[in-house]
Amino acid sequence: MSISPIFSSKMFHRFICHFRQALPTRTLSSTAPETSPVEPNKNVIIEPRQLKFLPKYKEPCQVWVENLDTIDENKLGIIELHPDIFAVNPRIDIIQQNAKWQKLYRYVSYAHTKSRFEVRGGGKKPWPQKGLGRARHGSIRSPLFKGGGVIHGPKSPNPHFYMLPYYVRVNGLTSMLSIKLAQDDLHVVNDIEIPSDEPQYIKELIKSRNWGPSVLIIDEVDMMPRNITAATDEIQHVNLMPVYGLNVYSMLKHDTLVLTRAAVDLIEDKLLTALHRNSTFSYTKKFVLNQV
């Protein structure tokens, strides 16, 4: 049975692009201290970007570029995001499939039961075949006896690995990125250089900007700057991740997603290449399983 979407793709795109402009300042609780509104720089520059495969009837979404070198928020400029990556109609069913797949593909069940041939004892016939008026049996380790083997029980190790189709995984990433942007939970920063390696600096920064409480910071490479690595090492709800590790489950788990400027370019390049690939056979062939 198919479920008709509440919004059409065009309506949802307009909603995402204009939602952030009309969104009021959020507070985590009613007792949170009042913060003065951040005044953006008057000389705001919209950074020109060459967006590949730009749709003819869709406009790019615009987001602020922020800083991390001060606790107070600073608007450094505006960049445009590709609508096919950050403003698609979200598919909740695809997100659920990705989350379930990520939970199961590493799971191995070690539940094990012994059959009648693995249970200790039962080598002798318990009583003669005929003459006693009892039912005929060949071993007391038959599944009919207490302490006998188990019929069709689980055997270990039993992996639950399977592979999702290629475009289900790709569309799961675009759906989650679009949802984060629509909910005002996606922020773009120029870099992740911070002046201190104290965890308190990150905590105060997150509190002053109403992020989180859990934050996922994405950078282009896996070698992060020393200060932010040391500052987030003791904070369990703030995690660092390179672009190649970005996944649906991690974005669902964290409330706020922070992308660097370089990470935005790389994410768009990889996903646009995947969406406009002519053939995925060479990329999916290695995951074909023999499940006969």
Side-chain angles (χ1 to χ4, degrees):
M1 185 177 88
S2 61
I3 302 176
S4 60
I6 299 177
F7 299 107
S8 65
S9 177
K10 189 174 182 180
M11 292 173 59
F12 187 80
H13 170 72
R14 291 178 179 175
F15 169 75
I16 290 180
C17 291
H18 299 289
F19 178 77
R20 292 171 64 89
Q21 301 177 0
L23 188 70
T25 305
R26 299 182 305 168
T27 54
L28 296 179
S29 64
S30 59
T31 59
E34 296 183 358
T35 58
S36 59
V38 178
E39 295 183 0
N41 188 0
K42 296 181 179 180
N43 301 322
V44 174
I45 299 177
I46 301 178
E47 180 181 347
R49 299 184 65 207
Q50 295 294 332
L51 301 178
K52 299 188 301 182
F53 307 108
L54 188 64
K56 186 176 181 180
Y57 300 105
K58 287 185 179 180
E59 297 180 356
C61 297
Q62 295 181 348
V63 296
W64 288 104
V65 178
E66 307 171 16
N67 70 318
L68 289 184
D69 54 358
T70 60
I71 294 180
D72 296 331
E73 185 176 356
N74 242 346
K75 304 295 189 182
L76 305 180
I78 294 178
I79 65 168
E80 294 180 338
L81 302 180
H82 201 288
D84 284 346
I85 306 299
F86 294 94
V88 300
N89 193 11
R91 290 282 303 274
I92 307 301
D93 57 331
I94 289 182
I95 294 175
Q96 190 272 339
Q97 291 179 35
N98 278 269
K100 180 181 178 182
W101 166 65
Q102 286 189 246
K103 288 181 179 180
L104 289 181
Y105 78 87
R106 293 179 299 177
Y107 174 66
V108 178
S109 175
Y110 289 96
H112 184 83
T113 56
K114 294 183 179 180
S115 65
R116 61 178 297 170
F117 304 105
E118 298 172 325
V119 179
R120 179 180 176 86
K124 178 184 177 182
K125 189 175 179 66
W127 50 76
Q129 181 84 354
K130 306 173 75 65
L132 296 181
R134 308 181 69 177
R136 50 196 175 190
H137 289 287
S139 172
I140 60 173
R141 294 306 177 223
S142 167
L144 302 178
F145 284 84
K146 180 181 178 181
V150 178
I151 304 174
H152 304 306
K155 300 294 181 181
S156 67
N158 182 23
H160 288 68
F161 176 84
Y162 66 97
M163 208 64 195
L164 278 182
Y166 182 78
Y167 285 108
V168 174
R169 288 175 277 148
V170 173
N171 291 329
L173 292 174
T174 58
S175 294
M176 275 306 306
L177 290 171
S178 301
I179 289 175
K180 288 295 185 183
L181 180 62
Q183 294 177 342
D184 197 35
D185 288 328
L186 188 145
H187 301 270
V188 179
V189 296
N190 57 338
D191 54 48
I192 53 175
E193 291 285 352
I194 59 176
S196 173
D197 60 355
E198 293 294 331
Q200 189 63 28
Y201 179 87
I202 293 294
K203 292 180 181 179
E204 292 179 0
L205 184 144
I206 292 174
K207 182 179 180 180
S208 66
R209 303 192 185 187
N210 291 334
W211 291 359
S214 57
V215 180
L216 179 63
I217 303 175
I218 307 296
D219 196 12
E220 181 185 15
V221 294
D222 52 7
M223 297 297 293
M224 309 289 180
R226 179 193 174 279
N227 282 353
I228 195 168
T229 303
T232 58
D233 188 41
E234 299 180 3
I235 308 176
Q236 297 183 358
H237 54 273
V238 178
N239 295 302
L240 305 177
M241 182 180 292
V243 168
Y244 63 77
L246 186 64
N247 59 87
V248 172
Y249 188 79
S250 295
M251 285 190 282
L252 279 174
K253 184 179 178 181
H254 295 81
D255 298 296
T256 303
L257 179 65
V258 179
L259 304 176
T260 62
R261 178 63 182 78
V264 171
D265 291 336
L266 187 56
I267 289 172
E268 286 188 354
D269 180 66
K270 295 291 185 181
L271 291 181
L272 287 173
T273 303
L275 290 172
H276 296 83
R277 196 185 303 278
N278 292 329
S279 175
T280 62
F281 179 75
S282 60
Y283 292 89
T284 58
K285 182 179 179 181
K286 60 182 178 181
F287 297 116
V288 175
L289 304 178
N290 183 11
Q291 298 179 346
V292 178

